[in-house]
Amino acid sequence: MEMNQYLSIFIDESKEHLQHLNETLLMLENENENISLVNEVFRSAHTLKGMAATMGYENMATLTHEMENLLDLVRNQKRKVTTDLMDTIFKSVDLLEKMLELIINDGNDHLDASDIILQLQEISSGKKSEQKQKISTKESSGQSDVCLFNDYEITVLLQSIESGYEIFQVEINLSKESVLKSARAYMVFRETEQHGEILKSIPTVEEIENEQFDSHFTMILISKVDQETIKNEIMNISEIEMVKITSIPKDKLLQSKDQTEEKEAPQTTKINNEPNNQNTNTAKIGGKTIRVDIERLDELMNLFSELIIDRGRFEQLADELRHGELQDTVEHMSRITSNLQNIILNLRMVPIEQVFNRFPRMVRDLAKDLNKQVRLNIIGAETELDRTVIDEIGDPLVHLLRNAVDHGLEEANERIMKHKPEVGEITLRAYHSGNNVFIEVSEDGKGINRQEVLNKAIEKNIISVEEGKNLTDQQVYHLLFSSGFSTAKKVSDISGRGVGLDVVKTKIESLGGTVSIESELDKGTKFLIQLPLTLSIISAMLVVIGSEKYAIPLSSIIETAIFKEKEIMYAHKQQVIDFRGRIVPLISLKGILAIPETKRVENDDVSVVIVRKGDKMAGLIVDSFIGQQEIVLKSLGTYLANVFAISGATILGDGQVALIIDTNALIK
Amino acid sequence: MEKTADNKTKEIKVIVFRLDTEEYGVDVQQVKSIERMEHITRVPNTPNFVKGVINLRGVIIPIIDLRSRFGIEENVYGESTRIIIVHVEEMEVGLIVDAANDVIDISEGQIEPPPKVVGGVEAVYLRGVAKLPERLLIMLNLDKVLNSEEMKQIAKFGE
């Protein structure tokens, strides 16, 4: 089969549809009367079915087909949106996601879906929900059965009553042993039709023909014949277990008409909203966009990086030659490449929505598991980030959100005792600021208990009692990032196995970012992540040490300064300087990078680059500064992975390689 | 049996290079290019045989001195010194050799298992020895020479 070329499109689109399903279902859960949402869910399921069938993924097609059947009933208002129904559909979506995963990895969708399909069928046929509904019907004085009529039907029924007809609700139970249920039902229909007109049946005639019902069905009959006659005629058919006929009086119909009208009133407002929704949706899907393989973008980026290196070379040559026209041209080229750089970097930017949009579902499930009530607010989902960062940031955020739900938020009764709203609030917020992207995960939970953290840290031998006394709150919170730390009193399988926050921190730092904590007792906690916009082209300070050139990322530099030799002091055999009233340790790069000694120029000045990591600082001693430059980050390759204090390399204007110093490794 | 017979007659192209007094060979399929000596940027805190990295048409390539790798006394680089860029799986590495002078065809059948030590090189790094008329070619096992696991071990000792 020449389906391979379509496979990646199929996967992409299926992912989108599944995501859309999840989002819409979550909305539907909150406004379960909103038929336009049901329609959307139906359409997504329908499209998925079509695509899966075309690609030959039978299991996926069957499952979506069953979902479609059930959703069709819902949108025709024959089934209500119940928790049961929602859970089953959520489970189906989960299974679909697993199937897609399997398709991506193994190329097949061989997952057993029979359980879910059975559940879907049960709900469709009314075995589950109908029975439940009936119980509630009886409790609520039998009204809701009548609610099954729509406006048009009620009008028809009322007119019939006025013309002297009677309305019967005929409930039939077929014998459980019956093999030909639809045939028996057909006989019932034929018999009944001789006495009057069947307005509708539940389940529908099509469903009964397809045997998509258990053994129970209901008909609404308009007739002039009396109940007993009809009942006896039907009972004459074999394998009928029970016939129950009730007359529906006029006032009941009128009552239900009022109800449907009442019910429809809020619905119309929702329908009014619908066009807007659809507009935004179509704009999203039908906009002027094309799909491009990420590898092509990477290739474009690589080629452009080479151009940047050549630009550097040109600039250098033009300066040396001092040729006016050449200098002008080079300058023009520089401007154009800067623009080009912006465009290319933007191409690789993806809205963080991609990562965020799986969270509502995750938080919902978590909250359900933990029996907590949680509302998740997402702000700034349109914020864009480099593709590479997007791919990596998901896991740390999952961790932080799990933490927030599990450890951050209190249980409902505890919240009530503290006079807080019963529903805990988690806010996920992303925004741009300067050359950075910030992501906040905050909740209005119990906050971090300083003493609890300290006790734990002391118990785990991370710090001593003495050390603990002098720590600022910030420093105490940072203990949470130490490996082997967990403050949760009871270990749950959600989080709190002592791994987690340290992994989060490591991951974010590996992306060139930082993470900090703000917290107030009983008010809540906020995790703030700061990330660079892009990872491939960065601004750096070039410095000379001995005969070698190195690059130090500008993002970690506070400033460069020149000190006199005599300003250097010693504390515990460590060289330090007084930088704006703060004692900053000095690090000799010459020593750490084992740079061969060159002839020393007699000079009293010491050039220092002040760098920071979190709130710690250090001064790196260099021989001289070259200046600031945009550099293209390149890896040293797998052979030289994990070289101490070196995070990568870049190619300078003269074609030589300069190594990039990893200042994070230097500050302890 | 038939298969081995096939293998024995299979011809392979081999890049021949010199290290000290011995001649070595690597399968041409593993060689990307042969470069003249150029400026190498030293990478600190790496084993002694890692000489640093070069910029090869926009790609950063680590360079190792093969003499030093095999524990042969290092030599001053001269006119004939070459860097052979080889690749093993995803990894690209440049090997500094004393000279690269030939490409020849040999058949698999000519390669015999290596003796314990040839020209000071331990047998683990060797694929075998090819006996050619009037010359002996030591075939390298690049997977072993460029074993990155071993690199990590060495890097740890260096710290």
Side-chain angles (χ1 to χ4, degrees), chain B residues 91-129:
Chain B
M91 199 159 67
E92 285 189 350
V93 177
L95 310 171
I96 301 177
V97 299
D98 289 345
N101 29 23
D102 216 350
V103 183
I104 56 166
D105 291 315
I106 60 168
S107 65
E108 290 275 358
Q110 286 172 287
I111 304 175
E112 288 170 15
K116 248 193 176 140
V117 175
V118 190
V121 181
E122 280 175 62
V124 268
Y125 300 126
L126 305 181
R127 229 176 105 191
V129 176

mmCIF file of all heavy atoms in Angstrom, chain B residues 91-129:
data_model
loop_
_atom_site.group_PDB
_atom_site.id
_atom_site.type_symbol
_atom_site.label_atom_id
_atom_site.label_comp_id
_atom_site.label_asym_id
_atom_site.label_seq_id
_atom_site.Cartn_x
_atom_site.Cartn_y
_atom_site.Cartn_z
ATOM 1 N N MET B 91 28.374 9.527 14.756
ATOM 2 C CA MET B 91 29.498 10.272 15.299
ATOM 3 C C MET B 91 30.542 10.546 14.226
ATOM 4 O O MET B 91 30.922 9.653 13.475
ATOM 5 C CB MET B 91 30.090 9.414 16.413
ATOM 6 C CG MET B 91 30.930 10.112 17.386
ATOM 7 S SD MET B 91 30.999 9.117 18.878
ATOM 8 C CE MET B 91 31.892 7.688 18.298
ATOM 9 N N GLU B 92 31.015 11.803 14.150
ATOM 10 C CA GLU B 92 32.092 12.123 13.212
ATOM 11 C C GLU B 92 33.309 12.553 13.988
ATOM 12 O O GLU B 92 33.221 13.384 14.892
ATOM 13 C CB GLU B 92 31.657 13.245 12.261
ATOM 14 C CG GLU B 92 30.689 12.773 11.205
ATOM 15 C CD GLU B 92 30.435 13.821 10.138
ATOM 16 O OE1 GLU B 92 30.871 14.975 10.318
ATOM 17 O OE2 GLU B 92 29.814 13.476 9.132
ATOM 18 N N VAL B 93 34.449 11.993 13.642
ATOM 19 C CA VAL B 93 35.688 12.293 14.353
ATOM 20 C C VAL B 93 36.811 12.374 13.328
ATOM 21 O O VAL B 93 36.816 11.646 12.332
ATOM 22 C CB VAL B 93 36.001 11.187 15.399
ATOM 23 C CG1 VAL B 93 37.324 11.463 16.094
ATOM 24 C CG2 VAL B 93 34.888 11.089 16.430
ATOM 25 N N GLY B 94 37.761 13.294 13.585
ATOM 26 C CA GLY B 94 38.940 13.373 12.719
ATOM 27 C C GLY B 94 40.119 12.672 13.376
ATOM 28 O O GLY B 94 40.353 12.829 14.574
ATOM 29 N N LEU B 95 40.860 11.882 12.582
ATOM 30 C CA LEU B 95 42.014 11.156 13.123
ATOM 31 C C LEU B 95 43.288 11.753 12.538
ATOM 32 O O LEU B 95 43.440 11.815 11.313
ATOM 33 C CB LEU B 95 41.933 9.666 12.745
ATOM 34 C CG LEU B 95 40.614 8.928 13.015
ATOM 35 C CD1 LEU B 95 40.659 7.539 12.387
ATOM 36 C CD2 LEU B 95 40.361 8.839 14.508
ATOM 37 N N ILE B 96 44.201 12.178 13.399
ATOM 38 C CA ILE B 96 45.472 12.698 12.895
ATOM 39 C C ILE B 96 46.403 11.515 12.633
ATOM 40 O O ILE B 96 46.632 10.684 13.523
ATOM 41 C CB ILE B 96 46.126 13.656 13.910
ATOM 42 C CG1 ILE B 96 45.185 14.822 14.200
ATOM 43 C CG2 ILE B 96 47.475 14.150 13.381
ATOM 44 C CD1 ILE B 96 45.715 15.779 15.246
ATOM 45 N N VAL B 97 46.886 11.420 11.388
ATOM 46 C CA VAL B 97 47.804 10.334 11.029
ATOM 47 C C VAL B 97 49.054 10.941 10.399
ATOM 48 O O VAL B 97 49.045 12.106 9.986
ATOM 49 C CB VAL B 97 47.140 9.343 10.040
ATOM 50 C CG1 VAL B 97 45.911 8.712 10.675
ATOM 51 C CG2 VAL B 97 46.762 10.032 8.730
ATOM 52 N N ASP B 98 50.093 10.148 10.338
ATOM 53 C CA ASP B 98 51.358 10.680 9.817
ATOM 54 C C ASP B 98 51.283 10.949 8.325
ATOM 55 O O ASP B 98 51.864 11.899 7.831
ATOM 56 C CB ASP B 98 52.505 9.698 10.113
ATOM 57 C CG ASP B 98 52.829 9.691 11.606
ATOM 58 O OD1 ASP B 98 52.369 10.633 12.290
ATOM 59 O OD2 ASP B 98 53.513 8.769 12.078
ATOM 60 N N ALA B 99 50.548 10.085 7.603
ATOM 61 C CA ALA B 99 50.393 10.295 6.168
ATOM 62 C C ALA B 99 49.253 9.421 5.680
ATOM 63 O O ALA B 99 48.992 8.362 6.246
ATOM 64 C CB ALA B 99 51.677 9.932 5.428
ATOM 65 N N ALA B 100 48.577 9.869 4.637
ATOM 66 C CA ALA B 100 47.543 9.038 4.016
ATOM 67 C C ALA B 100 47.945 8.933 2.562
ATOM 68 O O ALA B 100 48.041 9.947 1.869
ATOM 69 C CB ALA B 100 46.170 9.671 4.170
ATOM 70 N N ASN B 101 48.225 7.709 2.113
ATOM 71 C CA ASN B 101 48.867 7.666 0.803
ATOM 72 C C ASN B 101 48.234 6.770 -0.233
ATOM 73 O O ASN B 101 48.690 6.738 -1.359
ATOM 74 C CB ASN B 101 50.354 7.313 0.933
ATOM 75 C CG ASN B 101 50.628 6.456 2.153
ATOM 76 O OD1 ASN B 101 49.740 5.780 2.671
ATOM 77 N ND2 ASN B 101 51.867 6.481 2.623
ATOM 78 N N ASP B 102 47.170 6.062 0.060
ATOM 79 C CA ASP B 102 46.740 5.079 -0.922
ATOM 80 C C ASP B 102 45.284 4.675 -0.726
ATOM 81 O O ASP B 102 44.761 4.783 0.383
ATOM 82 C CB ASP B 102 47.616 3.817 -0.768
ATOM 83 C CG ASP B 102 47.890 3.175 -2.109
ATOM 84 O OD1 ASP B 102 47.250 3.593 -3.093
ATOM 85 O OD2 ASP B 102 48.738 2.259 -2.150
ATOM 86 N N VAL B 103 44.681 4.248 -1.799
ATOM 87 C CA VAL B 103 43.392 3.566 -1.700
ATOM 88 C C VAL B 103 43.562 2.253 -2.444
ATOM 89 O O VAL B 103 43.972 2.252 -3.604
ATOM 90 C CB VAL B 103 42.259 4.371 -2.356
ATOM 91 C CG1 VAL B 103 40.930 3.653 -2.171
ATOM 92 C CG2 VAL B 103 42.186 5.772 -1.801
ATOM 93 N N ILE B 104 43.322 1.142 -1.786
ATOM 94 C CA ILE B 104 43.506 -0.139 -2.481
ATOM 95 C C ILE B 104 42.288 -1.041 -2.276
ATOM 96 O O ILE B 104 41.474 -0.818 -1.387
ATOM 97 C CB ILE B 104 44.770 -0.898 -1.986
ATOM 98 C CG1 ILE B 104 44.692 -1.114 -0.464
ATOM 99 C CG2 ILE B 104 46.033 -0.151 -2.364
ATOM 100 C CD1 ILE B 104 45.699 -2.135 0.024
ATOM 101 N N ASP B 105 42.180 -2.043 -3.141
ATOM 102 C CA ASP B 105 41.125 -3.042 -3.004
ATOM 103 C C ASP B 105 41.719 -4.277 -2.354
ATOM 104 O O ASP B 105 42.764 -4.754 -2.764
ATOM 105 C CB ASP B 105 40.584 -3.435 -4.389
ATOM 106 C CG ASP B 105 39.816 -2.296 -5.019
ATOM 107 O OD1 ASP B 105 39.018 -1.678 -4.309
ATOM 108 O OD2 ASP B 105 40.049 -2.016 -6.213
ATOM 109 N N ILE B 106 41.046 -4.758 -1.329
ATOM 110 C CA ILE B 106 41.451 -6.056 -0.799
ATOM 111 C C ILE B 106 40.194 -6.910 -0.660
ATOM 112 O O ILE B 106 39.085 -6.389 -0.683
ATOM 113 C CB ILE B 106 42.175 -5.962 0.575
ATOM 114 C CG1 ILE B 106 41.247 -5.307 1.618
ATOM 115 C CG2 ILE B 106 43.471 -5.201 0.464
ATOM 116 C CD1 ILE B 106 41.788 -5.466 3.031
ATOM 117 N N SER B 107 40.377 -8.218 -0.553
ATOM 118 C CA SER B 107 39.209 -9.063 -0.332
ATOM 119 C C SER B 107 39.178 -9.454 1.139
ATOM 120 O O SER B 107 40.219 -9.549 1.784
ATOM 121 C CB SER B 107 39.268 -10.300 -1.225
ATOM 122 O OG SER B 107 40.360 -11.091 -0.853
ATOM 123 N N GLU B 108 37.966 -9.648 1.637
ATOM 124 C CA GLU B 108 37.790 -9.995 3.049
ATOM 125 C C GLU B 108 38.659 -11.192 3.421
ATOM 126 O O GLU B 108 39.145 -11.304 4.540
ATOM 127 C CB GLU B 108 36.315 -10.307 3.344
ATOM 128 C CG GLU B 108 35.402 -9.104 3.281
ATOM 129 C CD GLU B 108 35.364 -8.315 4.576
ATOM 130 O OE1 GLU B 108 36.024 -8.726 5.544
ATOM 131 O OE2 GLU B 108 34.670 -7.278 4.606
ATOM 132 N N GLY B 109 38.834 -12.087 2.447
ATOM 133 C CA GLY B 109 39.580 -13.307 2.717
ATOM 134 C C GLY B 109 41.033 -13.058 3.090
ATOM 135 O O GLY B 109 41.679 -13.882 3.725
ATOM 136 N N GLN B 110 41.514 -11.873 2.695
ATOM 137 C CA GLN B 110 42.915 -11.584 2.995
ATOM 138 C C GLN B 110 43.110 -11.128 4.437
ATOM 139 O O GLN B 110 44.240 -11.032 4.894
ATOM 140 C CB GLN B 110 43.415 -10.482 2.045
ATOM 141 C CG GLN B 110 43.654 -10.985 0.625
ATOM 142 C CD GLN B 110 43.962 -9.834 -0.302
ATOM 143 O OE1 GLN B 110 43.076 -9.058 -0.647
ATOM 144 N NE2 GLN B 110 45.215 -9.713 -0.696
ATOM 145 N N ILE B 111 41.999 -10.802 5.098
ATOM 146 C CA ILE B 111 42.123 -10.303 6.472
ATOM 147 C C ILE B 111 42.172 -11.460 7.447
ATOM 148 O O ILE B 111 41.273 -12.305 7.477
ATOM 149 C CB ILE B 111 40.957 -9.356 6.828
ATOM 150 C CG1 ILE B 111 40.887 -8.215 5.821
ATOM 151 C CG2 ILE B 111 41.098 -8.828 8.249
ATOM 152 C CD1 ILE B 111 39.699 -7.284 6.004
ATOM 153 N N GLU B 112 43.222 -11.497 8.238
ATOM 154 C CA GLU B 112 43.359 -12.559 9.231
ATOM 155 C C GLU B 112 43.181 -11.961 10.628
ATOM 156 O O GLU B 112 43.414 -10.782 10.824
ATOM 157 C CB GLU B 112 44.750 -13.205 9.113
ATOM 158 C CG GLU B 112 44.850 -14.058 7.871
ATOM 159 C CD GLU B 112 46.275 -14.504 7.616
ATOM 160 O OE1 GLU B 112 47.108 -14.402 8.539
ATOM 161 O OE2 GLU B 112 46.533 -14.940 6.480
ATOM 162 N N PRO B 113 42.757 -12.805 11.578
ATOM 163 C CA PRO B 113 42.590 -12.278 12.930
ATOM 164 C C PRO B 113 43.902 -11.685 13.445
ATOM 165 O O PRO B 113 44.970 -12.185 13.106
ATOM 166 C CB PRO B 113 42.171 -13.497 13.754
ATOM 167 C CG PRO B 113 42.140 -14.652 12.829
ATOM 168 C CD PRO B 113 42.450 -14.214 11.453
ATOM 169 N N PRO B 114 43.793 -10.632 14.238
ATOM 170 C CA PRO B 114 45.017 -9.942 14.663
ATOM 171 C C PRO B 114 45.773 -10.697 15.734
ATOM 172 O O PRO B 114 45.167 -11.349 16.568
ATOM 173 C CB PRO B 114 44.481 -8.626 15.233
ATOM 174 C CG PRO B 114 43.104 -8.960 15.687
ATOM 175 C CD PRO B 114 42.584 -10.030 14.787
ATOM 176 N N PRO B 115 47.086 -10.623 15.704
ATOM 177 C CA PRO B 115 47.861 -11.103 16.850
ATOM 178 C C PRO B 115 47.632 -10.160 18.017
ATOM 179 O O PRO B 115 46.999 -9.118 17.849
ATOM 180 C CB PRO B 115 49.307 -11.022 16.355
ATOM 181 C CG PRO B 115 49.302 -10.072 15.215
ATOM 182 C CD PRO B 115 47.915 -10.040 14.647
ATOM 183 N N LYS B 116 48.141 -10.541 19.173
ATOM 184 C CA LYS B 116 47.799 -9.768 20.367
ATOM 185 C C LYS B 116 48.163 -8.295 20.262
ATOM 186 O O LYS B 116 47.362 -7.416 20.550
ATOM 187 C CB LYS B 116 48.472 -10.384 21.596
ATOM 188 C CG LYS B 116 47.426 -10.972 22.508
ATOM 189 C CD LYS B 116 47.969 -11.313 23.847
ATOM 190 C CE LYS B 116 46.807 -11.808 24.698
ATOM 191 N NZ LYS B 116 47.136 -12.918 25.531
ATOM 192 N N VAL B 117 49.377 -8.045 19.843
ATOM 193 C CA VAL B 117 49.806 -6.648 19.713
ATOM 194 C C VAL B 117 50.492 -6.477 18.374
ATOM 195 O O VAL B 117 51.309 -7.287 17.985
ATOM 196 C CB VAL B 117 50.767 -6.250 20.855
ATOM 197 C CG1 VAL B 117 51.290 -4.840 20.629
ATOM 198 C CG2 VAL B 117 50.082 -6.358 22.198
ATOM 199 N N VAL B 118 50.053 -5.461 17.619
ATOM 200 C CA VAL B 118 50.752 -5.173 16.374
ATOM 201 C C VAL B 118 51.220 -3.733 16.448
ATOM 202 O O VAL B 118 50.426 -2.839 16.673
ATOM 203 C CB VAL B 118 49.821 -5.313 15.148
ATOM 204 C CG1 VAL B 118 50.627 -5.249 13.872
ATOM 205 C CG2 VAL B 118 49.012 -6.569 15.238
ATOM 206 N N GLY B 119 52.500 -3.517 16.245
ATOM 207 C CA GLY B 119 53.039 -2.155 16.225
ATOM 208 C C GLY B 119 52.602 -1.371 17.449
ATOM 209 O O GLY B 119 52.325 -0.193 17.360
ATOM 210 N N GLY B 120 52.465 -2.046 18.569
ATOM 211 C CA GLY B 120 52.118 -1.348 19.803
ATOM 212 C C GLY B 120 50.626 -1.103 19.969
ATOM 213 O O GLY B 120 50.206 -0.504 20.924
ATOM 214 N N VAL B 121 49.797 -1.560 19.009
ATOM 215 C CA VAL B 121 48.361 -1.344 19.126
ATOM 216 C C VAL B 121 47.682 -2.597 19.647
ATOM 217 O O VAL B 121 47.888 -3.680 19.125
ATOM 218 C CB VAL B 121 47.755 -0.952 17.763
ATOM 219 C CG1 VAL B 121 46.272 -0.719 17.904
ATOM 220 C CG2 VAL B 121 48.451 0.278 17.214
ATOM 221 N N GLU B 122 46.880 -2.446 20.678
ATOM 222 C CA GLU B 122 46.217 -3.599 21.270
ATOM 223 C C GLU B 122 45.195 -4.213 20.318
ATOM 224 O O GLU B 122 44.557 -3.496 19.555
ATOM 225 C CB GLU B 122 45.497 -3.184 22.557
ATOM 226 C CG GLU B 122 46.423 -3.084 23.743
ATOM 227 C CD GLU B 122 45.664 -2.556 24.936
ATOM 228 O OE1 GLU B 122 44.717 -3.246 25.364
ATOM 229 O OE2 GLU B 122 46.007 -1.463 25.402
ATOM 230 N N ALA B 123 45.036 -5.507 20.414
ATOM 231 C CA ALA B 123 44.193 -6.232 19.466
ATOM 232 C C ALA B 123 42.738 -5.793 19.486
ATOM 233 O O ALA B 123 42.058 -5.884 18.467
ATOM 234 C CB ALA B 123 44.283 -7.732 19.737
ATOM 235 N N VAL B 124 42.231 -5.278 20.638
ATOM 236 C CA VAL B 124 40.817 -4.886 20.696
ATOM 237 C C VAL B 124 40.480 -3.822 19.653
ATOM 238 O O VAL B 124 39.344 -3.727 19.197
ATOM 239 C CB VAL B 124 40.413 -4.302 22.068
ATOM 240 C CG1 VAL B 124 39.906 -5.362 22.969
ATOM 241 C CG2 VAL B 124 41.517 -3.479 22.673
ATOM 242 N N TYR B 125 41.463 -3.004 19.307
ATOM 243 C CA TYR B 125 41.192 -1.914 18.378
ATOM 244 C C TYR B 125 41.311 -2.353 16.923
ATOM 245 O O TYR B 125 41.147 -1.558 16.025
ATOM 246 C CB TYR B 125 42.163 -0.753 18.629
ATOM 247 C CG TYR B 125 42.059 -0.203 20.032
ATOM 248 C CD1 TYR B 125 43.177 -0.101 20.847
ATOM 249 C CD2 TYR B 125 40.820 0.215 20.533
ATOM 250 C CE1 TYR B 125 43.080 0.398 22.135
ATOM 251 C CE2 TYR B 125 40.712 0.709 21.820
ATOM 252 C CZ TYR B 125 41.842 0.794 22.621
ATOM 253 O OH TYR B 125 41.737 1.278 23.887
ATOM 254 N N LEU B 126 41.647 -3.624 16.724
ATOM 255 C CA LEU B 126 41.937 -4.096 15.370
ATOM 256 C C LEU B 126 40.869 -5.041 14.845
ATOM 257 O O LEU B 126 40.271 -5.804 15.597
ATOM 258 C CB LEU B 126 43.288 -4.808 15.346
ATOM 259 C CG LEU B 126 44.468 -3.988 15.872
ATOM 260 C CD1 LEU B 126 45.740 -4.796 15.778
ATOM 261 C CD2 LEU B 126 44.600 -2.682 15.102
ATOM 262 N N ARG B 127 40.646 -4.951 13.551
ATOM 263 C CA ARG B 127 39.734 -5.872 12.905
ATOM 264 C C ARG B 127 40.497 -7.092 12.417
ATOM 265 O O ARG B 127 39.940 -8.162 12.263
ATOM 266 C CB ARG B 127 39.110 -5.156 11.691
ATOM 267 C CG ARG B 127 37.615 -5.264 11.630
ATOM 268 C CD ARG B 127 37.135 -4.455 10.470
ATOM 269 N NE ARG B 127 36.754 -5.310 9.374
ATOM 270 C CZ ARG B 127 36.492 -4.856 8.166
ATOM 271 N NH1 ARG B 127 36.621 -3.586 7.894
ATOM 272 N NH2 ARG B 127 36.115 -5.679 7.221
ATOM 273 N N GLY B 128 41.771 -6.866 12.145
ATOM 274 C CA GLY B 128 42.580 -7.966 11.652
ATOM 275 C C GLY B 128 43.789 -7.426 10.930
ATOM 276 O O GLY B 128 44.036 -6.215 10.920
ATOM 277 N N VAL B 129 44.528 -8.353 10.318
ATOM 278 C CA VAL B 129 45.709 -7.947 9.558
ATOM 279 C C VAL B 129 45.553 -8.489 8.143
ATOM 280 O O VAL B 129 45.245 -9.654 7.947
ATOM 281 C CB VAL B 129 46.995 -8.505 10.207
ATOM 282 C CG1 VAL B 129 48.209 -8.176 9.359
ATOM 283 C CG2 VAL B 129 47.149 -7.953 11.610
#
